[in-house]
Amino acid sequence: MTTEPTLAPSETTLTASGIARLANVGRAAVSNWRRRYADFPTPVGGTPASPSFDAGEVEHWLRRHGRLHQAGTDEWAWRHIESYQPAAQISDALGIAGALLLVRADQAPTPDAGLPTPRQLITRLRALDPDLATMVDPLLPKHWTAQLSTLLGTVDQLGAEQDPESAFEYLHNRYVSSAHSMSGLAGTPDTVAEVMLALAGPGNVTFDFTSGTGSLLRMAADQALTRDTATRCYAQEINPQYALITMLRLWLLHLRVRRSVPDAAPPVVHVGDSLLADALPDLRADVVVANFPFGVHEWGHDKLAYDPRWTYGLPPRTEPELAWVQHALAHLAPGGTAVVLMPPAAASRPAGRRVRAELIRRGALRAVVALPAGLMPPTGIGLHVWVLTQPDPHQPPAGDLLVVDTTAAPDQPLTDTVATAWSAYRSPAYAELPGVHRTVPAIDVLDDQVDLTPQRHLPHTGDLAADPAQVIARLSEFDQLLDQLRRGLPAVRQTPDTPLRDAPQADVADLIRSGSISVHRATARSRSTGATTATAAVLTATDILSGSPATGTTTRTADDEPGPEVRPGDILVPIIGRRINARVATPEQVGAELGPGTQLIRVDTTRFDPWFIAGTISRTDNLRIAGRAASTGNGAMRIDVRRLSIPVVALEQQHAYGQAFRQLVEFRATLERASAAGATLAREISDALTSGTLGLTS
């Protein structure tokens, strides 16, 4: 279903950003419309740099020109929340929307029921959970504002079209992926949450002491429901806005749980600092999960110096993560499991080695799992997952630590890799998977460093000794590559006179004006957020240098023009480089669009040989003429081929030189392959000799 946008009564004027949201385009498109269309509404206020327009006139103009974006109710609901003013209260607006959806989910559907008043909303929430009503009450005005009426009306419609729980999950997911949530602190991505819960296993009580917006707890409760059971969720969160969202998400799911498990206990959520003001000191949970903030050095080290939670040692001021770990263990029931996300540095920092050693020595830390980078902020770092259990004082401590490197099994689903390793570890007959997971005796870890980094204890699969038969086979392949190299250079001789020595020169700029040569670059894409109308393969600078097919992609909207398309015989040149590298397009590159940082030269093939032109403009000295310092700061130059000149010789002679230039390009490519293959072969032979899988010939 689609719905027309409804402007709130307070929105009598719109800025360029507001118009862009209505049309689902970038602000640049609005600027273009003002220049191109004489009938575009004139500003009614603002400043020349930031004008404002009459909202009604703008809506009529967009509708008349077919620019009014047709979005679904879900999209409009999110837009009303995203554009809520003041912007600092967007999280509160989401909380109010969730409260409305919750009371709608708890009552029988009533056709054409109007919005409840703020007091009616609080009364219905209080009947569900007094604590929840207490969290929502301070956010509500005495009467709905025009802005909130529009927002809640659209959210109410969304809840009717879908169901209230799904509607709020959609709005939550948009929120945590937006800039408003400080993403990474708000929600835990589903992929990471699935891994953590696969390690934690089921439990009757689940606790998250830094819940964010409740992603881990909600998934744990949802998984329990699929097993026709229920887990009671407890949470504590320092951010009151996140705590409210957690409570709403858990309550919306709890209403569904009660239909299958009528006596299921409701969720409990507290606001506060878990370390300095533990709201649940007596709670002992079967499962403890947490994605806590990293590197917060003002965590209360001085105030908590004698805290009874530090049974494994006082965490140093610079090791707040080890304080969180011990907090998790303090809330763990006997036989329970705690699973926490950790920065990789926490496995090896010198300051924390005594606490790490005690966790290992007493059998509290059972597994360390290295995750791939890019799963969640900070995206450049592969986080670790620590699995902990409450040691039984009547039993000897577990002796081995499971280490898992998920980056060594990229072709297997992440959760499967971790769950398989954990299940094998807990079975009587554990079998390691070389390079992926193994158990490490505690005595091997308890050295001067107590480094728990999985890769330290696991040789990477690529570093294991290669199959001796494959090494021998690659020796033969390398010989063939060297033979190809020896025959790859063109035949040359020393001569006092060549056609290129005294040939006249023609400026490329003059040839462009005459029409016999043209230079093209990638077209700029608009910043429109409109619907994608086409997706195309684009050539990158790396593709040009390697001769590979296009590896990049680009998307176009209705406002974008297609970029230049590569044709047979086109000469491709990266715009930035330390030298000029011109290549004639390969058959696999023909048909692709030019990507950013690339340019092409198109010649009249009745007058010019493309390989001849590519070879002559790639001359080393030409960089001095065509290159200008780029802004990259690494010594690279910006290449302007229009500043060059080319020798004028007969087409037959161009063909002969062009063939030689082509051979040289192929020779360089073969030389690079031989260099890489030789380095790999040397390493493999060295490893094989060291490991004893290969021997020396007599």
Side-chain angles (χ1 to χ4, degrees):
M1 176 177 178
T2 59
T3 180
E4 296 288 353
T6 303
L7 299 175
S10 61
E11 294 178 321
T12 56
T13 61
L14 288 171
T15 63
S17 297
I19 298 172
R21 283 197 298 271
L22 280 178
N24 200 31
V25 297
R27 289 189 60 179
V30 178
S31 299
N32 288 336
W33 295 340
R34 293 183 62 195
R35 290 194 300 268
R36 292 168 54 191
Y37 295 96
D39 63 338
F40 192 86
T42 56
V44 296
T47 65
S50 180
S52 58
F53 304 83
D54 181 88
E57 292 181 5
V58 168
E59 183 177 357
H60 291 315
W61 187 90
L62 292 172
R63 198 182 306 279
R64 188 168 63 250
H65 287 266
R67 300 283 185 175
L68 197 61
H69 182 62
Q70 300 294 311
T73 307
D74 53 358
E75 181 66 25
W76 280 112
W78 167 245
R79 285 193 198 177
H80 284 305
I81 292 173
E82 185 182 34
S83 59
Y84 190 82
Q85 294 297 324
Q89 296 177 12
I90 287 174
S91 300
D92 294 339
L94 177 63
I96 296 171
L100 174 64
L101 290 168
L102 179 59
V103 300
R104 292 299 199 216
D106 187 50
Q107 64 187 19
T110 305
D112 301 323
L115 287 177
T117 66
R119 286 299 94 196
Q120 289 171 334
L121 181 62
I122 286 298
T123 299
R124 295 175 187 176
L125 287 174
R126 189 171 288 113
L128 273 177
D129 188 326
D131 291 337
L132 176 57
T134 301
M135 297 171 77
V136 175
D137 195 11
L139 308 181
L140 300 183
K142 291 184 178 180
H143 305 284
W144 298 129
T145 63
Q147 186 179 200
L148 273 174
S149 293
T150 302
L151 185 157
L152 294 177
T154 309
V155 169
D156 205 17
Q157 182 181 348
L158 177 61
E161 290 178 8
Q162 302 180 9
D163 63 83
E165 184 186 355
S166 298
F168 193 61
E169 283 305 297
Y170 169 80
L171 296 175
H172 166 266
N173 291 339
R174 292 296 299 267
Y175 172 76
V176 296
S177 62
S178 71
H180 308 292
S181 68
M182 296 185 295
S183 185
L185 296 177
T188 303
D190 286 351
T191 302
V192 178
E194 287 172 357
V195 168
M196 295 177 68
L197 292 173
L199 291 163
N204 294 327
V205 176
T206 304
F207 178 41
D208 185 346
F209 48 82
T210 54
S211 67
T213 57
S215 299
L216 287 166
L217 287 175
R218 187 187 180 279
M219 182 176 287
D222 194 44
Q223 289 182 357
L225 183 58
T226 62
R227 299 187 294 267
D228 295 323
T229 61
T231 183
R232 188 171 196 190
C233 294
Y234 289 84
Q236 184 164 351
E237 168 56 44
I238 194 171
N239 184 318
Q241 296 167 320
Y242 291 173
L244 173 58
I245 295 171
T246 295
M247 182 70 114
L248 291 167
R249 295 180 73 197
L250 293 178
W251 254 106
L252 282 162
L253 177 59
H254 179 67
L255 294 180
R256 180 156 54 94
V257 171
R258 288 199 309 198
R259 293 195 288 269
S260 300
V261 187
D263 60 345
V268 176
V269 179
H270 291 279
V271 178
D273 187 317
S274 294
L275 288 179
L276 288 173
D278 188 355
L280 297 159
D282 298 324
L283 177 66
R284 299 297 179 265
D286 304 303
V287 171
V288 176
V289 286
N291 170 16
F292 41 71
F294 303 151
V296 182
H297 290 172
E298 297 302 321
W299 54 271
H301 176 270
D302 296 336
K303 298 178 182 178
L304 300 173
Y306 300 102
D307 195 283
R309 288 171 290 185
W310 314 146
T311 58
Y312 300 89
L314 174 64
R317 185 187 303 277
T318 57
E319 295 286 341
E321 294 81 16
L322 295 180
W324 291 118
V325 164
Q326 295 192 70
H327 179 76
L329 285 166
H331 282 284
L332 200 59
T337 304
V339 181
V340 297
L341 272 176
M342 298 286 283
S348 58
R349 284 191 295 241
R353 63 179 178 270
R354 290 187 178 180
V355 176
R356 292 196 303 270
E358 196 63 20
L359 290 169
I360 294 292
R361 189 175 290 112
R362 296 171 58 179
L365 182 59
R366 306 301 302 278
V368 178
V369 179
L371 300 178
L375 294 179
M376 61 181 293
T379 54
I381 298 175
L383 300 180
H384 287 180
V385 176
W386 285 19
V387 184
L388 306 112
T389 58
Q390 188 64 268
D392 186 342
H394 304 294
Q395 298 292 331
D400 294 340
L401 174 73
L402 175 68
V403 291
V404 184
D405 180 13
T406 60
T407 64
D411 299 329
Q412 187 176 1
L414 185 63
T415 303
D416 291 352
T417 300
V418 175
T420 300
W422 181 241
S423 177
Y425 171 70
R426 293 185 298 166
S427 69
Y430 171 75
E432 71 175 79
L433 180 59
V436 179
H437 62 81
R438 67 181 286 250
T439 57
V440 183
I443 192 65
D444 292 346
V445 180
L446 296 173
D447 54 15
D448 291 341
Q449 297 179 339
V450 196
D451 190 339
L452 309 180
T453 307
Q455 290 86 346
R456 174 183 171 89
H457 305 283
L458 282 167
H460 193 279
T461 51
D463 295 331
L464 300 175
D467 182 349
Q470 294 179 351
V471 174
I472 299 299
R474 278 196 280 273
L475 275 170
S476 177
E477 295 170 1
F478 187 66
D479 284 340
Q480 296 175 11
L481 198 58
L482 291 178
D483 187 56
Q484 185 180 343
L485 267 178
R486 283 188 288 269
R487 294 182 284 103
L489 288 170
V492 294
R493 61 184 177 86
Q494 185 175 357
T495 177
D497 188 24
T498 69
L500 298 187
R501 182 185 294 273
D502 300 316
Q505 304 289 310
D507 291 336
V508 171
D510 291 337
L511 294 172
I512 292 173
R513 284 191 286 270
S514 71
S516 57
I517 285 181
S518 59
V519 177
H520 305 267
R521 291 188 176 183
T523 56
R525 292 277 177 256
S526 74
R527 300 186 66 180
S528 169
T529 56
T532 297
T533 60
T535 302
V538 297
L539 279 172
T540 66
T542 302
D543 299 333
I544 293 174
L545 297 178
S546 65
S548 65
T551 59
T553 58
T554 187
T555 56
R556 288 198 298 269
T557 66
D559 294 329
D560 291 326
E561 295 293 332
E565 189 174 287
V566 178
R567 300 177 187 173
D570 282 349
I571 303 163
L572 307 172
V573 188
I575 293 176
I576 303 293
R578 294 178 179 273
R579 55 166 302 186
I580 302 174
N581 289 286
R583 304 283 190 271
V584 177
T586 65
E588 295 79 13
Q589 294 171 336
V590 172
E593 286 188 17
L594 280 185
T598 64
Q599 58 190 326
L600 69 78
I601 304 170
R602 186 166 292 153
V603 301
D604 179 355
T605 55
T606 63
R607 298 180 58 188
F608 300 105
D609 181 279
W611 275 110
F612 173 75
I613 301 298
T616 54
I617 67 173
S618 295
R619 175 183 169 186
T620 302
D621 191 50
N622 275 346
L623 185 64
R624 175 180 55 84
I625 302 170
R628 290 178 293 180
S631 59
T632 57
N634 61 359
M637 306 289 281
R638 178 175 291 273
I639 311 301
D640 183 1
V641 295
R642 292 171 295 188
R643 305 173 68 182
L644 297 174
S645 58
I646 57 176
V648 179
V649 296
L651 186 59
E652 182 178 349
Q653 291 175 322
Q654 290 185 42
H655 289 328
Y657 277 97
Q659 178 60 29
F661 291 137
R662 181 173 188 170
Q663 281 184 265
L664 289 171
V665 168
E666 293 172 350
F667 175 81
R668 291 193 191 100
T670 305
L671 184 62
E672 290 174 359
R673 291 201 310 272
S675 176
T680 300
L681 194 57
R683 175 179 55 79
E684 289 179 345
I685 293 174
S686 176
D687 290 347
L689 288 172
T690 304
S691 63
T693 57
L694 280 179
L696 298 174
T697 58
S698 55

